[in-house]
C-alpha cells in the first residue's frame, strides 16, 4: 500500500452557525449520574453517614481517653454517660459515654474500634472479591467459547456449595484473625462478581464501538482497559456497594457463632455476641452493636439502590 | 427435557462430590488429631486408636474409605457424645425442618403479598410502608431480629401483662406460642428479599399488554391481579427459592441458638464451639447435600411451572 502523506489530510472545520443545534453544553455520563445521585436525598444522606462513620471509626478510638483493652474492674457493666472513677483517670473528668462492658472496658471506644475492624474486613473482602471477579470474569467473558464454558462450569460448582458452611469450615482450620476472615469470605464470595463481569464483557464485546476499535487496530489490552472496563464500571460500582453489607453481615454472623476475630480485639459481631449473653439484664449492650450493624447495612443498601437509579434511570421503579 | 434434567443432576452430583472432598481434606488440615487431649495417651493406645479409626493408613485410602462411608450414610461418631452423627442429625433436623419449612412458607406467602400490595399501590403510602419493612428486613441480620423480638415480645410484653400469660414463649419448641417468634425471626430477611423482588416483577407485569387487554375486556381489578398478574410475576420469585432455603437453613444456626430450639443449627454451633470435628464435617455434608438437592428441585420445578422456559436450551 502506498504511504499517504499526512499533509494531505486536513481539518475541514465546522461552521458554528450551521451546526445542528446543541443548546446546552454536553454532560458526560458520570456527571449525569452524579447529578442524579445528588438529587436523591436518601442516597446522599446515606453517603454522608457512611463517610462520617468511616471517619469516626478511624479517628475516635485515638482521641478517646480510654484504650479498647483497658479494664476498669471497679466499674463494670455501667450504663450510658457514667463518669469514670478509675484511679488512673482521677481528676480528669472523663466519661464512659456508652458505659462499660463486663470487664469494665469502655464501650464507646470498643464500638468505634470494632467498627473499624468490621468495616476493614468488609472492605478488604469485597476488594479481594472484586479483583478475582474482574480477572476471572473478564477472561471468561472476553475469550468466550470453550474457555468460558469451562470457567463458568467451575463457578457453577463453587456456587452450588452453600457459602456460609464453607466459610465456617475455613474459619475452623485457619488461625482466627482479620486476615483469615477476608480469605474465608473471598474463597467463595468471588463467584457473584465473576458472573457479573463476565455478563458485562459478553454483552459489551459485541457492541459496535468495540468492533470499531478492533477495526482501527486496537490491541485487546487497550480494548479491555479503555472500552470494556469503563462501560462495565457503573454496574461494578453498584454491586460493590451492595456487597459490603453482605460482608458486614458475614463478619457479624461468624463472630456471633464464635468464629470471629481473636479475643481482645473488638468487632461489631463480637460486641453483639458479648451483648447477647447479658442482654436480659443489660439490653443496651446488645442494642449498640445491633444498631451500628443495622444502620451501616441499611445505608449501604440504600446507597446502592440510589447508585443504581443514578447510573441506570431505566431501572428506576 | 431429559437432557436438561440429566445435566442438572450431573451438576448436583459433581458439586456434592467436591463438597465431600473439600470437607475431608479440610478436616485433615486441622491442627492436632482427635486423640490429643489434656492427658497424653500411651504410644500403644494411640496406635490402637489410630488403627481402629483407620488413621494409620495412607491419606488416599482414608479418603476412599471416607467416600464409601458417606455413600453408606455413615458419617462417623460424634467426638463429644460418642453417638453416630447421622442419628443426632436425624433427631435434631426434624425440629430444624419444622422451623425452616414454616419460615420459608411464611417468607414466600407474606413476601409475595407485600410485594404485590406495594406494586399495586405504587407511590402511595402503602407502597412506602411495605418497602420500608422490606428494607429493614434486608438490612437487619437475623440474630438481631431474633434478639429484639425475644426481648420486647417475649420478655417485656410478658412483664407488661403482669407475668400471667406467655403470649410468646421466649425459648423452646413445643407449644404454638413458642414457634411464632423463631419462625418470624428466621423468615424476616427472606420475606423482605422476596417482597422487593415481587414488587419489581409485579410492576413489570402490570405494564404488559395482556394486562391492558384484560382491563379492556372489563375484568375486575381483583381478577386481573389474581388471575393474570400474580401468576406471571411470581416466576422470578420461584428462582430465588433455592438461595432462600440456604439462607433460612444457615440463619437457623443463630435463630435456633437464640431461642434454644433443639434443632440442628444449634447443634452445629455447639459443635463448632466444642470443636467436635466429626459432627461438624457430618453436618456440613448433610447441609450441603440438602441444599444442593433443594436447588436441584427448584431448578427442575421452575422448568415445569413456566412453559416459557425452554428446558432444552438451558
Amino acid at each position: 500500500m502506498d504511504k499517504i502523506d499526512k499533509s494531505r489530510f486536513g481539518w475541514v472545520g465546522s461552521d458554528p452557525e450551521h451546526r445542528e443545534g446543541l443548546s446546552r453544553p454536553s454532560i458526560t455520563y458520570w456527571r449525569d449520574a452524579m447529578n442524579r445521585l445528588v438529587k436523591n436525598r436518601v442516597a446522599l444522606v446515606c453517603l454522608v453517614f457512611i463517610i462520617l462513620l468511616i471517619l469516626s471509626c478511624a479517628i475516635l478510638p485515638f482521641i478517646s481517653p480510654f484504650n479498647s483493652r483497658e479494664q476498669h474492674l471497679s466499674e463494670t457493666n455501667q450504663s450510658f454517660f457514667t463518669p469514670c472513677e478509675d484511679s488512673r483517670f482521677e481528676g480528669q473528668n472523663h466519661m464512659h459515654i456508652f458505659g462499660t462492658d463486663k470487664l469494665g472496658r469502655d464501650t464507646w471506644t470498643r464500638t468505634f474500634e470494632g467498627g473499624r475492624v468490621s468495616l476493614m474486613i468488609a472492605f478488604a473482602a469485597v476488594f479481594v472479591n472484586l479483583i478475582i471477579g474482574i480477572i476471572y470474569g473478564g477472561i471468561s467473558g472476553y475469550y468466550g467459547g470453550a474457555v468460558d464454558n469451562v470457567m463458568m462450569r467451575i463457578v457453577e460448582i463453587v456456587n452450588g456449595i452453600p457459602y456460609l458452611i464453607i466459610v465456617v469450615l475455613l474459619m475452623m482450620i485457619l488461625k482466627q484473625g482479620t486476615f483469615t476472615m477476608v480469605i474465608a469470605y473471598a474463597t467463595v464470595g468471588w463467584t457473584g462478581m465473576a458472573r457479573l463481569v463476565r455478563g458485562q464483557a459478553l454483552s459489551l464485546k459485541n457492541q459496535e464501538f468495540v468492533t470499531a476499535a478492533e477495526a482501527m487496530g486496537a490491541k485487546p489490552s487497550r480494548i479491555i482497559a479503555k472500552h470494556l472496563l469503563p462501560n462495565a464500571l457503573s454496574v461494578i460500582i453498584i454491586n460493590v456497594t451492595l456487597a459490603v453489607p453482605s460482608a458486614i453481615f458475614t463478619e457479624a454472623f461468624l463472630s456471633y457463632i464464635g468464629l470471629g476475630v481473636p479475643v481482645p480485639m473488638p468487632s461489631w459481631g463480637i460486641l453483639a455476641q458479648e451483648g447477647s449473653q447479658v442482654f436480659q439484664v443489660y439490653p443496651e449492650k446488645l442494642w449498640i452493636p445491633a444498631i451500628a450493624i443495622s444502620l451501616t447495612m441499611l445505608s449501604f443498601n440504600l446507597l446502592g439502590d440510589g447508585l443504581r437509579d443514578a447510573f441506570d434511570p431505566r431501572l428506576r421503579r | 427435557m431429559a437432557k436438561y434434567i440429566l445435566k442438572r443432576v450431573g451438576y448436583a452430583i459433581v458439586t456434592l462430590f467436591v463438597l465431600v472432598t473439600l470437607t475431608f481434606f479440610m478436616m485433615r488440615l486441622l491442627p492436632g488429631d482427635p486423640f490429643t487431649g489434656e492427658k497424653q495417651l500411651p504410644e500403644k493406645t494411640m496406635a490402637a486408636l489410630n488403627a481402629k479409626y483407620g488413621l494409620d493408613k495412607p491419606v488416599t485410602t482414608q479418603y476412599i474409605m471416607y467416600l464409601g462411608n458417606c455413600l453408606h450414610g455413615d458419617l462417623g461418631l460424634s467426638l463429644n457424645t460418642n453417638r453416630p452423627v447421622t442419628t443426632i442429625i436425624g433427631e435434631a433436623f426434624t425440629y430444624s425442618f419444622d422451623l425452616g419449612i414454616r419460615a420459608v412458607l411464611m417468607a414466600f406467602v407474606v413476601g409475595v403479598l407485600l410485594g404485590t400490595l406495594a406494586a399495586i399501590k405504587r407511590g402511595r403510602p402503602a407502597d412506602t410502608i411495605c418497602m420500608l419493612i422490606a428494607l429493614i428486613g434486608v438490612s437487619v441480620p437475623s440474630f438481631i431480629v431474633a434478639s429484639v423480638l425475644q426481648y420486647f415480645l417475649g420478655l417485656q410484653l410478658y412483664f407488661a401483662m403482669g407475668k400471667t400469660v406467655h403470649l410468646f414463649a421466649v425459648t423452646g419448641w413445643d407449644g404454638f406460642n413458642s414457634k411464632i417468634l423463631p419462625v418470624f425471626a428466621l423468615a424476616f430477611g427472606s420475606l423482605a428479599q422476596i417482597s422487593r423482588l415481587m414488587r419489581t416483577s409485579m410492576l413489570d407485569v402490570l405494564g404488559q399488554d395482556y394486562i391492558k387487554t384484560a382491563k379492556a375486556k372489563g375484568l375486575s381489578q381483583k381478577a386481573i391481579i389474581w388471575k393474570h398478574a400474580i401468576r406471571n410475576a411470581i416466576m422470578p420469585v420461584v428462582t430465588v427459592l433455592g438461595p432462600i432455603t440456604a439462607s433460612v437453613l444457615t440463619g437457623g444456626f443463630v435463630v435456633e441458638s437464640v431461642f434454644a430450639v433443639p434443632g440442628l443449627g444449634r447443634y452445629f454451633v455447639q459443635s463448632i464451639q466444642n470443636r467436635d470435628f466429626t459432627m461438624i464435617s457430618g453436618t456440613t455434608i448433610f447441609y450441603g447435600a440438602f441444599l444442593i438437592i433443594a436447588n436441584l428441585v427448584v431448578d427442575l420445578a421452575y422448568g415445569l411451572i413456566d412453559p416459557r422456559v425452554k428446558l432444552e436450551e438451558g
Side-chain angles (χ1 to χ4, degrees):
Chain A
M1 211 166 87
D2 286 338
K3 258 241 155 68
I4 306 174
D5 191 9
K6 270 199 179 154
S7 65
R8 291 176 62 187
F9 292 95
W11 175 243
V12 181
S14 66
D15 184 0
E17 294 294 318
H18 295 95
R19 216 162 37 182
E20 270 181 47
L22 284 176
S23 52
R24 270 182 279 177
S26 66
I27 40 172
T28 62
Y29 172 63
W30 294 98
R31 166 133 308 183
D32 184 36
M34 275 309 292
N35 287 346
R36 255 196 299 264
L37 186 66
V38 171
K39 271 190 208 132
N40 185 342
R41 284 281 162 74
V42 180
L44 203 63
V45 168
C46 290
L47 185 64
V48 171
F49 173 78
I50 290 168
I51 292 170
L52 282 180
L53 183 79
I54 293 173
L55 283 181
S56 32
C57 286
I59 298 165
L60 284 180
F62 286 117
I63 53 174
S64 161
F66 309 107
N67 184 304
S68 69
R69 299 179 184 190
E70 156 194 295
Q71 304 177 3
H72 300 175
L73 291 173
S74 57
E75 36 182 11
T76 56
N77 284 325
Q78 297 295 313
S79 192
F80 294 102
F81 298 110
T82 328
C84 172
E85 276 148 14
D86 196 78
S87 56
R88 280 167 285 184
F89 295 94
E90 232 176 78
Q92 292 181 37
N93 275 331
H94 289 311
M95 200 182 266
H96 294 297
I97 300 175
F98 283 175
T100 54
D101 68 0
K102 64 175 180 211
L103 294 172
R105 296 176 291 196
D106 181 50
T107 310
W108 170 268
T109 318
R110 279 179 75 75
T111 303
F112 285 103
E113 207 169 312
R116 185 159 71 196
V117 173
S118 288
L119 287 177
M120 247 157 60
I121 292 175
F123 286 147
V126 171
F127 182 73
V128 173
N129 280 350
L130 176 70
I131 298 295
I132 302 176
I134 284 184
I135 295 173
Y136 196 96
I139 292 174
S140 182
Y142 189 75
Y143 288 101
V147 179
D148 178 42
N149 212 350
V150 172
M151 286 175 97
M152 279 303 117
R153 293 301 83 84
I154 295 172
V155 165
E156 217 153 303
I157 288 167
V158 175
N159 228 10
I161 304 172
Y163 92 96
L164 260 178
I165 289 177
I166 289 301
V167 171
V168 165
L169 267 189
L170 273 170
M171 288 301 295
M172 303 218 43
I173 293 162
L174 305 169
K175 214 168 133 275
Q176 287 194 357
T178 47
F179 185 65
T180 318
M181 284 211 137
V182 175
I183 296 291
Y185 186 72
T187 322
V188 280
W190 55 272
T191 53
M193 196 60 78
R195 277 188 161 171
L196 188 89
V197 174
R198 169 190 173 261
Q200 286 289 314
L202 270 184
S203 71
L204 286 172
K205 75 170 182 183
N206 293 324
Q207 303 250 335
E208 285 87 350
F209 60 86
V210 176
T211 320
E214 268 166 5
M216 285 193 283
K219 280 176 287 198
S221 58
R222 188 184 158 84
I223 291 178
I224 290 179
K226 285 269 170 188
H227 297 282
L228 295 188
L229 267 186
N231 278 296
L233 205 56
S234 60
V235 181
I236 293 174
I237 290 176
I238 294 164
N239 278 277
V240 163
T241 317
L242 292 175
V244 171
S246 102
I248 292 176
F249 166 76
T250 308
E251 187 276 326
F253 181 89
L254 286 174
S255 300
Y256 196 82
I257 63 172
L259 289 171
V261 290
V263 166
M265 198 187 271
S267 83
W268 284 343
I270 296 277
L271 291 178
Q273 191 251 338
E274 285 171 356
S276 72
Q277 289 167 356
V278 294
F279 96 114
Q280 303 204 342
V281 198
Y282 306 107
E284 72 268 18
K285 301 280 174 279
L286 178 63
W287 298 155
I288 295 168
I291 289 171
I293 295 171
S294 308
L295 269 186
T296 313
M297 283 176 68
L298 189 71
S299 333
F300 272 104
N301 277 329
L302 281 172
L303 178 66
D305 284 355
L307 281 173
R308 183 165 49 208
D309 290 344
F311 281 127
D312 198 346
R314 278 170 305 158
L315 289 177
R316 180 171 241 158
R317 281 275 151 73
Chain B
M1 183 73 187
K3 199 181 155 202
Y4 174 82
I5 294 176
L6 223 64
K7 202 170 144 192
R8 284 282 128 206
V9 173
Y11 269 132
I13 291 171
V14 173
T15 313
L16 210 54
F17 174 74
V18 170
L19 179 73
V20 172
T21 312
L22 222 61
T23 315
F24 175 79
F25 284 103
M26 279 189 183
M27 285 296 138
R28 292 279 311 178
L29 282 175
L30 281 168
D33 64 75
F35 311 119
T36 36
E38 282 169 22
K39 246 195 279 176
Q40 181 65 43
L41 294 167
E43 288 273 313
K44 273 194 175 165
T45 321
M46 283 289 264
L49 277 172
N50 278 335
K52 185 186 169 198
Y53 290 100
L55 293 175
D56 52 346
K57 301 198 176 63
V59 183
T60 42
T61 323
Q62 283 186 38
Y63 174 58
I64 291 164
M65 271 170 58
Y66 186 75
L67 276 184
N69 284 343
C70 283
L71 280 178
H72 288 123
D74 176 9
L75 296 170
L77 296 174
S78 159
L79 296 181
N80 262 26
T81 55
N82 222 17
R83 294 169 61 212
V85 171
T86 36
T87 317
I88 300 178
I89 290 178
E91 284 170 14
F93 192 64
T94 44
Y95 293 102
S96 293
F97 190 75
D98 193 17
L99 172 63
I101 206 86
R102 283 161 198 257
V104 170
L105 273 178
M106 178 178 172
F108 190 75
V109 173
V110 181
V112 165
L113 289 180
L114 270 188
T116 311
L117 182 70
I120 299 170
K121 305 273 176 194
R122 184 184 178 185
R124 303 225 211 110
D127 179 19
T128 320
I129 291 169
C130 287
M131 284 306 103
L132 206 66
I133 295 173
L135 200 66
I136 293 170
V138 171
S139 303
V140 183
S142 54
F143 61 87
I144 294 177
V145 177
S147 307
V148 169
L149 288 177
Q150 195 183 36
Y151 184 73
F152 286 110
L153 293 184
L155 213 62
Q156 295 298 335
L157 191 68
Y158 174 60
F159 290 157
M161 285 164 66
K163 300 193 185 183
T164 44
V165 228
H166 256 304
L167 208 56
F168 303 103
V170 179
T171 56
W173 187 257
D174 25 42
F176 182 70
N177 69 341
S178 67
K179 299 185 180 179
I180 304 167
L181 296 185
V183 168
F184 184 76
L186 195 53
F188 194 33
S190 310
L191 185 157
Q193 209 187 331
I194 289 180
S195 62
R196 281 168 68 123
L197 196 68
M198 187 66 194
R199 179 174 178 270
T200 319
S201 159
M202 194 71 183
L203 283 176
D204 204 36
V205 167
L206 286 178
Q208 299 284 330
D209 288 342
Y210 53 80
I211 298 293
K212 267 185 213 143
T213 313
K215 262 186 205 154
K217 70 179 184 185
L219 281 187
S220 67
Q221 169 88 351
K222 213 165 123 193
I224 294 175
I225 301 293
W226 288 103
K227 287 237 161 154
H228 295 269
I230 284 192
R231 285 191 187 185
N232 284 297
I234 220 160
M235 287 304 155
V237 178
V238 174
T239 52
V240 296
L241 274 184
I244 294 277
T245 315
S247 81
V248 163
L249 216 57
T250 42
F253 296 178
V254 284
V255 172
E256 282 173 16
S257 303
V258 170
F259 288 104
V261 177
L264 190 55
R266 182 156 157 261
Y267 237 113
F268 190 52
V269 175
Q270 276 171 5
S271 49
I272 288 169
Q273 279 152 6
N274 299 333
R275 296 290 190 265
D276 184 346
F277 294 126
T278 43
M279 189 66 205
I280 294 169
S281 59
T283 318
T284 306
I285 289 172
F286 175 75
Y287 270 140
F290 184 83
L291 288 180
I292 289 165
I293 291 168
N295 268 329
L296 181 70
V297 171
V298 170
D299 271 2
L300 296 180
Y302 187 59
L304 288 177
I305 301 169
D306 192 352
R308 283 172 301 184
V309 181
K310 290 234 166 56
L311 293 183
E312 290 82 16
E313 289 169 14

